[in-house]
């Protein structure tokens, strides 16, 4: 007997639900963006209710005081404003977004000489200067 595919058990409108949540987060980012990015707050919508899942009581209190502003911001963003806000506590509403890792990239000498050669043959002076600046970037030290 073959196991059934997992997507058979997932609601058909899951992607629509996730895109609505992202739309809420984008609209409310000016008010609660730091909490969303740190993973201390998650927002979702159930019918006419905006649900804010908070990591701690302090954040829940802050969201409670900002309820009207949150609803006004959603209405101004063109999103059908929910009728009420419900606040829930959970120690980890969602995983925080990973910090971007800075990748150190080196420009090999052969590429530097090719950039300089191309800069001399290009007729556009702005492009030629940009290529020269790129070729002159000093190698990064670890």
């Amino acid at each position: 007997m073959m196991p059934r595919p997992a997507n058979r058990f997932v609601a058909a409108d899951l992607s629509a639900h996730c895109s609505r949540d992202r739309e809420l987060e984008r609209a409310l980012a000016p008010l609660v963006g730091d909490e969303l990015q740190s993973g201390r707050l998650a927002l979702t919508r159930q019918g006419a209710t905006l649900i804010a899942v908070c990591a701690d009581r302090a954040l829940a209190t802050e969201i409670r005081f900002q309820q009207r502003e949150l609803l006004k911001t959603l209405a101004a963003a063109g999103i059908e404003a929910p009728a009420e806000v419900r606040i829930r506590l959970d120690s980890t509403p969602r995983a925080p977004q990973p910090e971007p890792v800075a990748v150190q990239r080196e420009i090999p000498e052969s590429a530097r000489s090719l950039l300089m050669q191309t800069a001399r043959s290009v007729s556009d002076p702005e492009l030629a200067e940009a290529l020269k600046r790129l070729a002159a970037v000093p190698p990064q030290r670890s």
Side-chain angles (χ1 to χ4, degrees):
M1 184 166 115
M2 292 290 294
R4 292 182 181 162
N7 63 353
R8 182 167 184 247
F9 300 103
V10 177
D13 62 344
L14 179 63
S15 66
H17 180 71
C18 291
S19 66
R20 282 194 311 264
D21 288 354
R22 284 191 297 275
E23 185 181 22
L24 286 173
E25 290 177 359
R26 274 194 298 276
L28 297 176
L31 296 174
V32 293
D34 294 337
E35 288 82 7
L36 287 168
Q37 285 186 338
S38 67
R40 294 179 54 223
L41 176 66
L43 298 170
T44 190
R45 192 171 173 178
Q46 266 185 348
T49 304
L50 174 67
I51 299 174
V53 183
C54 302
D56 53 52
R57 290 183 187 278
L59 180 58
T61 302
E62 184 178 333
I63 297 298
R64 193 167 287 117
F65 282 119
Q66 287 186 345
Q67 287 184 67
R68 286 187 188 149
E69 198 61 36
L70 294 172
L71 296 176
K72 285 180 189 176
T73 303
L74 288 175
I79 299 171
E80 184 182 335
E84 65 176 330
V85 177
R86 288 206 176 158
I87 299 169
R88 300 286 182 249
L89 284 176
D90 188 357
S91 59
T92 54
R94 69 178 197 183
Q97 294 180 356
E99 292 291 322
V101 177
V103 177
Q104 293 184 354
R105 296 194 173 110
E106 290 291 323
I107 300 175
E109 279 305 314
S110 59
R112 289 179 190 276
S113 63
L114 186 60
L115 285 169
M116 289 301 285
Q117 181 182 6
T118 305
R120 287 190 289 272
S121 65
V122 170
S123 60
D124 184 4
E126 290 180 24
L127 180 57
E129 283 303 311
L131 291 171
K132 289 178 185 176
R133 284 193 308 272
L134 183 58
V137 171
Q140 295 179 348
R141 306 275 180 202
S142 298

